[in-house]
Amino acid sequence: MNVEINGAPYQFDNGLTILDACRKAGIDIPTLCHLKNLTPSGSCRICVVEVDGARTLVPSCAYPLSEGMKVRTNTERIRDARKLIVELLIANHPQDCLSCSRSLTCELQKLAQELGAEPRPQWKERRTYPVDASSPSLVRDSNKCIICGRCVRVCEEVQGIGAIDFTKRGFQTMVLPAFNEDLASTTCVNCGQCIKVCPTGALSESFAVRETIDVLNTKGKTVVAQIAPAVRVALGELFGVDEDNVAPLLVDALRRIGFDYVFDTNFAADLTIMEEGSELVHRLTSGGVLPMITSCSPGWIKFIEHFFPQYLPNLSSCKSPQQMQGAMIKGYWAKRMNLDPRQVHVVSLMPCTAKKFEAQRPEMEVDGIRDVDIVLTTREVARLLKAYDVDLKTCRPAAFDHPLGEASGAGAIFGATGGVAEAALRTAHKLVTGRDLENLDIEAVRGFTGVKEATIALGDLRLRCAVASGLANARQLLTSLGSGERKYDFIEIMACPGGCLNGGGQPTVFDVDALQERLRKIYAIDAGMQLRRSHDNPSIQKLYADFLGKPNSETAHRFLHTHYHPRPEKV
Ligand code: FES
């Protein structure tokens, strides 16, 4: 269709909003409540434009483009309206930008600067509210909420949960859990996708940077870090380092700030595959409960506990790689080093806010010793390094400590949706047929499609697999499984869309290309390794020879397996 924008002629396909069209034309329009791929709400009005024939300014994010339309995007009237909107918002906003966790990345702060908006305390209408810090993963500060509703929509539309919603009206409007319950008492699964879309500091992870510094300063503690697969492909974004894998730089950075040892969670991903692959083969050959469903993603685990408890027997009993690594650091490595495991502090560097919840689960300990003591998100890792004036750019590549630092490419791909399934299939093929899979790249389970399916030949056995990421997709998959519409033997589910590379603790990006780049980096790490199958990892083989015996042994169950339980579906 033909339209005119700011006096210039353009042609666009049908079905676009004014905002879509302007973005295609490279014309900048500010937005707050709008997010691509979520239902437009048109609530904040910051994106208003003039349309010939319209009596008032119209929200470009929710207004359809039509043939012959004449649009203006930046007149005096528009700028005044946008400035007024921001001034009304900041009149009701705490003025603590100096210490706010979102300072310099806050979208409201950026807009206020761009539009020259000034605080007008005389317009303040709203009360102050208590901060909800009940969750081990998230902090919710209603004082900083601008009622844009992005968190409500991502929780409902992408994750299919609806743990929060709008309540009351007008100036009293708030975003709250039902009945104003604490977040910890709700069906929130701690995935942190709401934090990633929040334009201000109203939602943030439960910070553990100060606690980490305190532990590093405590004499007599052995402080050990572990680095998750997806952290290494995203942390560089916060330091302007674009190497595929920043783990070697991060190892050096962590040693500089006082960590005694740095291990690789990818090692524990290999260990997970040994346990989970063996569990799958055992279920397949002994009439066990099928389909077996992966258990690495703690947001997914809480989701199934709330909404699909009938499938709890289908979950693998394996702990996640984070917890397995913690259990091996304290239960195996500490003893070899003649260290008291109670004096060893494990700090996990994770892409995930739900890992904070997982680490605190009562199930995640052995003989009263917690597997993991502190969890830091990728964003917090950047803050920690900056607190010590350590810039990743100036670090030198360094190797992980051993023996819990050697990993295969199969461990590396845990960071992407489909990665756990692919890694498991590489090992399950060996376990079932006695031969290694010839082509290790199982393309059918790769990529960002919400639900993927593949049938993989393991000798005579044809294994029906499904992979889902994003919990609304998981809900759809389990619903079709329940109705008998679909049948599988093995299912991988990750809570966050795209998997851990897009976890709730990762740097915020709304750009699909940026996520594609993280995905590319993960598979590049795998492709560049000699060792690409978990069962070939010599350090894993030694761990079984020295300590665990064989996969799924009694010792393995004691340290590496767990159980889950139903939770209420409603508050
Ligand atoms: Fe369009 Fe909020 S961004 S109304």
Side-chain angles (χ1 to χ4, degrees):
M1 68 177 63
N2 298 298
V3 298
E4 188 183 296
I5 304 176
N6 299 334
Y10 290 91
Q11 274 197 331
F12 296 104
D13 293 337
N14 291 339
L16 300 181
T17 61
I18 295 175
L19 180 68
D20 294 333
C22 287
R23 289 196 168 161
K24 278 181 184 290
I27 297 166
D28 190 34
I29 294 180
T31 55
L32 267 179
C33 68
H34 176 77
L35 263 191
K36 205 173 165 190
N37 301 328
L38 296 182
T39 309
S41 74
S43 60
C44 77
R45 317 301 273 194
I46 202 76
C47 67
V48 288
V49 294
E50 286 176 0
V51 171
D52 267 13
R55 278 190 302 119
T56 59
L57 297 175
V58 303
S60 60
C61 69
Y63 206 89
L65 199 68
S66 59
E67 179 64 38
M69 191 177 253
K70 290 186 177 167
V71 180
R72 284 169 297 283
T73 66
N74 201 341
T75 64
E76 191 73 29
R77 181 183 172 209
I78 293 169
R79 286 193 295 276
D80 284 350
R82 290 176 183 162
K83 180 164 172 273
L84 179 64
I85 289 164
V86 172
E87 287 184 340
L88 282 165
L89 287 172
I90 59 177
N92 282 301
H93 204 80
Q95 308 290 314
D96 65 348
C97 298
L98 286 178
S99 57
C100 178
S101 65
R102 287 296 302 274
S103 190
L104 304 181
T105 63
C106 172
E107 293 177 47
L108 183 62
Q109 185 186 48
K110 180 167 175 276
L111 271 178
Q113 283 172 353
E114 286 173 2
L115 295 167
E118 312 234 340
R120 309 227 181 207
Q122 69 273 25
W123 292 352
K124 188 170 173 66
E125 286 279 346
R126 288 165 64 197
R127 294 182 291 128
T128 52
Y129 305 101
V131 174
D132 179 358
S134 61
S135 158
S137 296
L138 286 85
V139 175
R140 202 174 51 77
D141 183 350
S142 292
N143 301 295
K144 294 181 179 173
C145 177
I146 58 169
I147 323 293
C148 68
R150 286 182 184 179
C151 54
V152 173
R153 280 173 286 153
V154 84
C155 190
E156 178 68 39
E157 296 176 22
V158 177
Q159 298 299 63
I161 297 170
I164 44 178
D165 208 341
F166 292 104
T167 58
K168 306 185 187 168
R169 290 178 177 221
F171 277 115
Q172 303 303 318
T173 305
M174 293 180 76
V175 171
L176 291 174
F179 310 119
N180 200 7
E181 287 280 340
D182 289 342
L183 204 55
S185 316
T186 71
T187 53
C188 167
V189 302
N190 305 302
C191 69
Q193 289 298 312
C194 57
I195 298 174
K196 291 185 62 181
V197 297
C198 180
T200 70
L203 287 157
S204 59
E205 59 265 74
S206 176
F207 282 100
V209 173
R210 185 68 251 169
E211 189 187 348
T212 307
I213 293 171
D214 289 346
V215 169
L216 287 168
N217 288 338
T218 305
K219 286 210 165 50
K221 285 270 182 205
T222 302
V223 190
V224 182
Q226 58 164 316
I227 303 174
V231 172
R232 68 202 68 196
V233 297
L235 181 66
E237 294 164 20
L238 300 173
F239 288 91
V241 176
D242 63 1
E243 296 191 15
D244 282 358
N245 178 6
V246 301
L249 303 176
L250 183 53
V251 172
D252 181 40
L254 293 170
R255 292 209 181 107
R256 287 191 196 191
I257 69 173
F259 279 87
D260 297 301
Y261 296 89
V262 185
F263 291 131
D264 194 350
T265 313
N266 291 14
F267 168 87
D270 281 337
L271 187 57
T272 304
I273 289 304
M274 297 301 290
E275 293 296 318
E276 201 168 78
S278 303
E279 185 183 356
L280 174 63
V281 171
H282 178 71
R283 289 190 191 210
L284 287 166
T285 53
S286 69
V289 179
L290 291 172
M292 191 178 91
I293 311 179
T294 57
S295 55
C296 307
S297 165
W300 150 243
I301 295 294
K302 190 160 183 273
F303 181 85
I304 192 173
E305 288 177 327
H306 281 298
F307 300 106
F308 292 93
Q310 67 273 32
Y311 287 114
L312 285 173
N314 295 71
L315 280 182
S316 162
S317 61
C318 289
K319 290 180 182 174
S320 72
Q322 159 174 268
Q323 299 303 136
M324 284 199 185
Q325 187 77 325
M328 287 299 93
I329 289 169
K330 295 192 183 180
Y332 165 69
W333 173 83
K335 289 199 176 128
R336 276 174 44 127
M337 301 291 288
N338 287 324
L339 292 169
D340 175 357
R342 290 178 198 278
Q343 295 308 317
V344 173
H345 222 80
V346 174
V347 181
S348 298
L349 279 48
M350 294 282 139
C352 176
T353 46
K355 289 283 173 196
K356 291 174 183 273
F357 169 79
E358 178 184 58
Q360 294 193 8
R361 289 185 71 118
E363 299 88 353
M364 299 300 171
E365 61 176 39
V366 182
D367 299 337
I369 299 174
R370 306 296 306 162
D371 296 339
V372 169
D373 300 287
I374 297 178
V375 179
L376 297 173
T377 63
T378 309
R379 293 186 296 263
E380 287 177 282
V381 174
R383 286 173 71 110
L384 177 68
L385 298 185
K386 285 174 182 174
Y388 281 85
D389 281 337
V390 171
D391 185 342
L392 216 52
K393 276 206 225 85
T394 64
C395 293
R396 303 219 174 103
F400 283 104
D401 289 294
H402 284 300
L404 308 183
E406 185 172 32
S408 76
I413 59 177
F414 264 57
T417 168
V420 179
E422 183 168 338
L425 291 167
R426 291 179 188 178
T427 288
H429 190 277
K430 172 79 172 183
L431 290 173
V432 171
T433 67
R435 287 178 289 108
D436 278 324
L437 197 60
E438 276 177 20
N439 180 7
L440 294 183
D441 300 335
I442 305 176
E443 297 290 344
V445 295
R446 295 186 178 186
F448 286 140
T449 307
V451 178
K452 294 164 281 190
E453 294 178 312
T455 301
I456 307 291
L458 304 178
D460 294 336
L461 184 73
R462 302 194 81 69
L463 193 76
R464 295 162 298 181
C465 305
V467 171
S469 71
L471 291 170
N473 292 321
R475 183 184 284 278
Q476 177 206 327
L477 183 69
L478 290 189
T479 304
S480 62
L481 196 66
S483 68
E485 197 184 313
R486 297 199 176 144
K487 291 208 183 327
Y488 303 107
D489 304 302
F490 179 49
I491 298 176
E492 177 209 288
I493 297 184
M494 293 189 188
C496 293
C500 309
L501 61 86
N502 188 29
Q506 294 280 63
T508 300
V509 287
F510 298 130
D511 177 3
V512 178
D513 290 345
L515 293 180
Q516 286 284 4
E517 181 59 6
R518 290 181 193 167
L519 188 72
R520 184 198 64 73
K521 288 178 176 180
I522 280 183
Y523 287 110
I525 293 171
D526 172 40
M529 294 185 79
Q530 290 283 325
L531 196 60
R532 295 187 64 199
R533 292 177 284 254
S534 301
H535 54 273
D536 290 338
N537 181 339
S539 294
I540 290 283
Q541 291 166 352
K542 186 162 170 27
L543 176 65
Y544 279 105
D546 287 355
F547 184 63
L548 293 173
K550 57 185 179 36
N552 293 190
S553 67
E554 204 179 310
T555 308
H557 265 273
R558 185 161 157 249
F559 285 92
L560 307 178
H561 291 251
T562 188
H563 58 277
Y564 301 104
H565 56 83
R567 295 173 191 266
E569 185 172 342
K570 291 203 163 39
V571 190

